[in-house]
Amino acid sequence: MSILQRDQVWPFLVPREVKVDVSHQVILYIEDLSVSFDGFKALNNLNLYINDGELRCLIGANGAGKTTLMDVITGKTRCDSGSVWFGQTHNLLEKREADIARLGIGRKFQKPTVFEAHTVLDNLELALNTHKGILPALVARLSAGQRERIDEVMEIIGLQQQRHMLAGALSHGQKQWLEIGMLLAAEPRLLLIDEPVAGMTAQETERTAELLTSLAGHHTVVVVEHDMEFVRSIARTVTVLHQGSVLAEGSMDEVQNNRDVIDVYLGESA
Amino acid sequence: MIELRQVTQHYGSSQILWGVDLNITQGSCACIMGRNGVGKTTLLKCLMGLLPVSSGEIRINDYPLHNRPAEKRAPAGIGYVPQGREIFPLLTVEENLRIGLPIRKDKRKHIPERIFELFPVLADMLHRRGGDLSGGQQQQLAIGRALVIEPSVLILDEPNEGIQPNIVQQIGDVILRLNEEDGLTVILVEQKLGFARRVGKQFHLMEKGRIVASDHMENLSDELIRQHLAV
Amino acid sequence: MSLFSLWRQRDAKLTATWPVVVAVFAMALLAALGNLLIPESSALHVSTYTVTLLGKYLCYAMLALAVDVIWGYCGILSLGHGVFFALGGYAMGMYLMRQIGERGVYGNALLPDFMVFLNWKELPWYWLGMDQFWFALLMVILIPGGLAFLFGWLAFRSRVTGVYLSIMTQALTYAFMLSFFRNEMGFGGNNGLTDFKDMLGFSLQADTTRVVLLLLSAVLLIVALWSSQAILRSRFGKVIIAIRDGEARARFLGYQTERYKVWLFVYSAVVAAVAGALYVPQVGIINPGEFAPINSIEIVIWVAIGGRGTLAGAVIGALLVNYAKTRFTALLPEAWLFALGGLFVLVTLFLPKGLVGLSSKFRMTARKLSSYSSGQRSES
Amino acid sequence: MMWIASVQPPSYVSIHSNINLLECRVKKLMFFCVLCICQAWPAWAQNEDASVNELLQQLTEARLKDMAPILEQLEVEGGEALLPLFHGLLAGDLYYLKSDHTLVSVTSVNGIDQYQEILSGHRIESLSKQQISKVRVNNTLRGQLRQIISRLQLNARQPDLRYTAVRSLLSELDADTMATIRALYSGEQDQRVKAIMATAIALYSAESAQDDNERVAAIGQLRNSLETDVRNALNRLAKDDTRPAVQSAARRAVADIEQRVAWYGRLDQLFFGLSLGSVLLLAAIGLAITFGVMGVINMAHGEMIMLGAYTTYVVQLLMPNAIDYSLWVAVPAAFMVSGLAGVLIERGIIRFLHGRPLETLLATFGVSLILQQLVRTVFSPLNRQVATPSWMSGSIELNPVLSLTLNRLYIFVFALLVFGLLLLILKKTSLGLNVRAVSQNRDMARAMGVHTERVDALTFGLGSGIAGIAGVALSQLTNVGPNLGQSYIIDSFMVVVFGGVGNLLGTLVAAFTLGVANKFLEPVTGAVLASILVLVFIILFIQKRPRGLFPQKGRAAE
Amino acid sequence: ADTIKVGVLHSLSGTMAISETTLKDTVLMMVDEQNKKGGLLGKKLEAVVVDPASNWPLFAEKTRELLTKDQVDVIFGCWTSVSRKSVLPVIEELNGLLFYPVQYEGEESSKNVFYTGAAPNQQAIPAVDYLMNDLGVKRWVLAGTDYVYPRTTNKILEAYLKAKGVADADIMINYTPFGHSDWQSIVSDIKKFGSEGKKTAVVSTINGDANVPFYKELGNQGVSAEDIPVVAFSVGEEELSGIDTTPLVGHLAAWNYFESVDTPENQAFIKQWHQFIGNNARVTNDPMEATYIGFNMWVKAVEKAGTTDVDKVEQAMIGIQTPNLTGGMAVMNENHHLSKPVLIGEIQDDGQFEVVWETDGLVAGDAWSDFLPGSKDLISDWTTPIKCGNYNTKTKTCSGQNYGS
Ligand SMILES: Nc1ncnc2c1ncn2[C@@H]1O[C@H](COP(=O)(O)OP(=O)(O)OP(=O)(O)O)[C@@H](O)[C@H]1O
Ligand SMILES: Nc1ncnc2c1ncn2[C@@H]1O[C@H](COP(=O)(O)OP(=O)(O)OP(=O)(O)O)[C@@H](O)[C@H]1O
Ligand SMILES: CC(C)C[C@H](N)C(=O)O
Ligand SMILES: [Mg+2]
Ligand SMILES: [Mg+2]
């Protein structure tokens, strides 16, 4: 077994522990961020600070720029101006997606994206927080610890049954869960979660809420969601985006009673 | 009005629908509910003709649909709002809406104003690519697009997924209005109980590819919910 | 049960290579023995013609394998893989050319014939060292590998994908074709390199040499199959498939997808190049025609016919199509294109998964039948 | 060259065309006109000059080598009156009866040869090809004939003829000719003719005047002329003239002229580039639909072009006497033939492959093999002859160093026209919208009531039909053979991809960019290297813009 | 065997099918004819046709197939030099016999190949002589497709022209890719080159398909044969049959045969061809004549040797004479090349050539050019005692021969 646990034999196989300097408590600095598409301003001088270990809810009208914000943080979209820092030392705007991911920023997409031709198991394996280089990948075997981790995750997302099923054959909701599972397997510092409970039943929603709350502390979690009940159940701080900038920030109660927020987002009866 | 009899369906060798019987009357608003993966979407796709049924019959006003191709079903008056919106991403909002014009009975050449009344955002976004819109905007576009063909039945597959609360509200209002004022028959797949209760008149609970309970919405008891919707 | 069968099915893709390995080896061995041991008078004698033909097919199979590795598993459709094959071939051709030495028609020990009569005075620098077998072998790998690295690095880094990539590979091989047609390039222009005499001192016209080359092709094909399989089964392979289905997702998991793609591309190019290097001594000529885009498209077609995404499929496809071509061109010289074209159309229409798909279809039915008889024991 | 004037209305650009550039039939027709005119000149026909007759007799018997002096004699003896004969000889339309060496002309009217005695103008019935023999000429004689005709036409009635006559004499000015020109100069009314005569006079004195100043003055007059003969003469002077004043004047003049020539040279290149671009555009535009919009990797696209070209051939076979109109028939016919073939391919094969774009490559490749072999079987593997209508032959000469070939010009315009039309169809009809919807989300399109099958068939038919039309145009430029399609398929894909798949405008810009780039490179690097460089350029460009010149934008395209 | 097998190795598909299919038919016609005459050595001839599909390695493979599987006694085949080069090692290894009927660049002589097409000195040199002496050409454009035949021919011509005192500045050399179809710039360059006052001619070694667009462009840009004649070595009646020739009238070609030559043999041949192919519009051309000569020579040689054994037939071939279609007798020389007359023709508007010049007697094909430094000392002689394809007359050795040693 020790031969198979190669990550203990060769140093280059040991996952790099990335240092994120959070000496000021803040793990994510977003300042004056602007993004435009063909002249349309999706983000407009946005300022946002996320503390280390926080669980932050991000709400806002459809098209307010929440997904775009995540795109910028994860390196998918280039911004026009502004800065995005991960801790004190990592300027995210200079990095490519893969590097950002390896810094420990994980992301769940709005539309669930999983590797359809892989089994649920393989999906999780690929997500594991291991060395992502080429040579390690050629020789990598699952270590016992990793197996355990996968089983754990499998348990959490409730897909043990589907373990060997191709991910492409899962239903929409199952894919959502799998993607969350992949996030968990990767054990990132910062989780960006775009609409996790869309298409989930009430109970599942509850479970997700529990899960996210339990994650906070060890991990920093940013959740985008439109399901107010869900938000209410997990929220400590809520940030409301509108037309690319922050409209309001505060506790759920504050936000809920904010006139502007009611006008542009919540509607009267919420 | 819409009648499904013993509909079964397979993906390859795995059977998804197991003899679904469903009866939806004119002007009703039927809400289909069930856990993830029980086959709701599959059922709607069969209804729309996007998936072939393995056996069984589907009729609209006694007109058999199950042996017609999808493109013949829309003119028969079925509007479809799929799960995941399925906007034509590279067409502009306007073009997305225009697609359905030719099959309208009145052969209108213009997008009915009504759509923009219901969804004012669309009017602002007329010349942007459908794919660029945010999720919620796309959802509104998808409903608008289905309404362009002036359907007599509107099929909605989780229309509120990812929609901001006030719009959810609004969509609910729209569905109610269409259903009550215009007499549009609505088939709705919905996970959120609150919404389902608000707009639905009947419910049909699905489990493992079968309809296991159907009744008026008022009769949707906690017991039933626990039995069929809880995890 | 359905879960189990899904899992089985996935694995089946990779395990199904064994019958092919065995078949290839057996075929090569039988041909070798039949050629060398059975006297020519016997009906069982395998002619040198057949041996050479088989050798050629095996090279093509290797080439198809190279294409399948990137197309079937990583979704990179290269319509210009002939470029690596041909470059490998040219490197080998240059070595063979230098081996001719004084036996060329002009008796010039240094310059190949085509240089002499086009009045070249000295050997161009890029021909230096090619008289050494090890150096030539190194070039067989380095040049195509380097080109693949350069091209892949440029293309994948700037995220050229899909048809854009395919057409660029086509442009690449086309550009090479035009360049090699130029006599000034010093590769013999249209006529290419030919009239080879021997390799490592063994006459290329000797039956034993041919047989050895055939066996070598078979062995290397098997090695390529095995190594491809190993690569694709490793986590590297899983990442590759992940990239095919969701490159963005893979990137957000921290995989530098472009590196994975580049190295797979390089691997594939090297396999193609080795195939080319084996091909040249067996067919006796290498010329710019090998760079023709149409040739590269044909490779893709072998793979598709055999069944893409299965290593065995690529090999079977290449062997079968080329065998069909050989037969058709002799049997129906005026109508073989109808037959071949028709074959392509029919296979696409009726065997969407290629010939291998057909076999797994059989296997499925067979399994169904047997499971009926043996009382559904596969329930687990 | 009066007939030119009758075919092409005189305009501010003069239209010149060498006689042997003209379509055979037209030539014969023209010759016929000349004959008619000659009958209106009874002076010669009746006033039979014995020596002329004898010379004519000799003409039929002499060996090619000995004909030059006979022609010279004829010019002197017969003069202007013999022009029709010279024209006939030049065109190779002059025959004689084997029996008695009477000169006859042969004209083909509606495919039936008609024979006419040249001296009397009598029609001769019931002659067969076997009874007559051609009066042979070769290149040397043709050159001589041309000079003779020019000299004789110096005082022709049509200004155009006089103009050409003077121009063609520029290369061989001698004292006699000069005398004639000088004599005619003062009386000349036409400005253009007068100007060229002035050039001739200046040219002559620049080289043969005794006085330095006269020479310098003449050179000064010549510095605006672009005539090659002038340039050659000036070059000679600049190189060899011993008088410093003359030499330096010549040098300056040459420099002036060279500069202008270089400028026109670039214009010329631009035209070449645009013209190559229009060919690429035509070839690619059908693919821009089948591949760009529908997403079918259509390897049989080239064969659709080929079918169009063969249709042109068949149309010309069917209407051998109306070649001039054949293209008008061929364009719609080719559209129908290729379009229909396209519909068949779509219905028979491609529709089963939706959602499997790569497999379309395989199937259409098969189709392409079959189609190639089919034309090989039906039409033989040889190239087929497609004639160029007379109105597409020759060139418009804007000035002596810049002329635009007509066929290229027409094809350029045609390409733009086809492009515009296509754009209109796709923008203005529901087909355009539907096909894009279908290619983006087939299921949803069906759910919206779009008849996807019909849309597919129509679109594929349209794309193929347009490829067919391209074939008609290409038949005017290149071989019509079974390999025609193969030679354009790669270029077509390159153009579509370079422009950005799915963007018709991109295809247009890409085609012209590649065309012009190629043509500007070619003089510097040679044709082979130019093509290679263009390919390398495309490869590198795609690294910069991985989705072509005009990429599809937006979230969905990522 | 009870039949004598004749292999036919011409591409019936792919790019070369355009040219080669005709030769396949010619061989079939000759075989037919011979069988009507009662066959050969009392046996029937049997043609074995294969399709190497314009794919050069396939030529080698098919040759091997013909020789080992079908056991043919002789092969008529190949068009391009590269296909011949591809076949060469195989035919030598298996000691077969190939008749190659197309003009080529020379620089080769194999014991197993008979070259019945023209060597450069049977086409290019006489053509240049004609242009220089009869037309007074002073400036030369050597335009060719970028590959070995044009390169070699032009090398030879360049050396030849320079030897005749032509200055560097008066020679323009231009190469184009295969199948080049856009000739605008090149024709315009030629026009410019030719407009400098000296008589200019183009010597074209442009290959195959590229010719049609080339000539069309010449016509359209108004380059007429009197101004700048083009003499081509690869354009014959068959190529012209695919072009509207009106604008080409007066341009030239140099060959050993033209269909228009009026001899009884030729008339008979044309008639026979029309009958065989069932189409009176089909033309004949030089490679057909070369095939005809080659076939007849082989028949004679087999009769003379009394066997189809390659070695015997090879020796019997040398010195064999058969009638040319243009009159006179063709002779097979010791170097496996023919002695043939060289003709120059002007294109007529009916697609035929009018002979304007011809050599006084026969020109012997030269395997090794006297104008290339590398080969001027080489000769080929397959008779004893030399028995060598590349014999160096200076060193008196036979360099690098595969066979014979
Ligand atoms: N690639 C793009 N091209 C053009 N416009 C874009 C692009 N990406 C985003 N947008 C625009 O930016 C705006 C913000 O989009 P974003 O997806 O960030 O909204 P969101 O807050 O996530 O909305 P939702 O809650 O509906 O998901 C939208 O109006 C969208 O149209
Ligand atoms: N393409 C497919 N191939 C095989 N199985 C599939 C496919 N699509 C769906 N399924 C299976 O069919 C079942 C029903 O799926 P369906 O999408 O209809 O569920 P649903 O009720 O709409 O769920 P959700 O609430 O998550 O949308 C699921 O178990 C899923 O695994
Ligand atoms: C000139 C060509 C038609 C033939 C020549 N032998 C070649 O190399 O291809
Ligand atoms: Mg969003
Ligand atoms: Mg669903």
Side-chain angles (χ1 to χ4, degrees), chain D residues 78 152 241 259 358 368 454 459 534:
Chain D
L152 293 179
D241 204 301
Q259 205 178 351
L358 290 175
S368 116
R454 199 183 301 158
T459 326
V534 166

Side-chain angles (χ1 to χ4, degrees), chain A residues 37 40 42 61-68 110 195 226, chain B residues 128 132-137, chain D residues 554-555 558:
Chain A
F37 300 104
F40 174 85
N62 293 125
K66 304 179 296 292
T67 303
T68 308
Q110 186 161 358
E195 308 202 5
H226 290 295
Chain B
R128 306 196 43 202
D132 290 353
L133 302 190
S134 79
Q137 293 160 343
Chain D
R555 280 180 161 176
E558 276 157 19

Side-chain angles (χ1 to χ4, degrees), chain E residues 13-82:
Chain E
S13 57
T15 45
M16 292 316 297
I18 284 184
S19 309
E20 293 192 66
T21 317
T22 309
L23 296 189
K24 175 214 66 179
D25 289 328
T26 311
V27 180
L28 292 184
M29 175 176 91
M30 303 296 299
V31 167
D32 222 36
E33 166 92 1
Q34 191 63 33
N35 279 338
K36 282 196 199 124
K37 288 190 207 152
L40 188 56
L41 303 181
K43 296 179 187 169
K44 286 261 171 236
L45 294 183
E46 180 192 341
V48 183
V49 179
V50 291
D51 178 14
S54 312
N55 174 332
W56 317 138
L58 206 54
F59 268 89
E61 181 184 320
K62 289 287 157 195
T63 309
R64 200 176 279 279
E65 183 177 342
L66 285 174
L67 290 175
T68 55
K69 267 184 78 187
D70 299 308
Q71 313 247 325
V72 299
D73 298 288
V74 63
I75 297 175
F76 290 85
C78 297
W79 182 287
T80 59
S81 290
V82 48

Side-chain angles (χ1 to χ4, degrees), chain C residues 178-245:
Chain C
L178 291 176
S179 313
F180 274 70
F181 266 134
R182 285 161 44 90
N183 273 281
E184 275 130 345
M185 286 285 285
F187 293 110
N190 179 44
N191 283 6
L193 310 177
T194 175
D195 207 17
F196 310 131
K197 309 277 194 247
D198 49 22
M199 184 174 181
L200 288 172
F202 299 103
S203 165
L204 283 175
Q205 291 174 343
D207 281 356
T208 35
T209 318
R210 294 188 168 274
V211 164
V212 169
L213 280 172
L214 168 69
L215 289 177
L216 203 63
S217 310
V219 168
L220 283 176
L221 173 63
I222 290 168
V223 168
L225 261 170
W226 174 82
S227 67
S228 306
Q229 186 169 7
I231 288 177
L232 291 168
R233 272 186 177 172
S234 72
R235 186 176 294 161
F236 180 92
K238 288 182 186 167
V239 176
I240 287 298
I241 293 173
I243 289 172
R244 178 187 71 192
D245 294 336

Side-chain angles (χ1 to χ4, degrees), chain A residues 172, chain B residues 40-41 83 157-158 189:
Chain A
H172 182 77
Chain B
K40 306 180 292 292
T41 302
Q83 183 168 26
D157 198 349
E158 309 208 15
V189 167

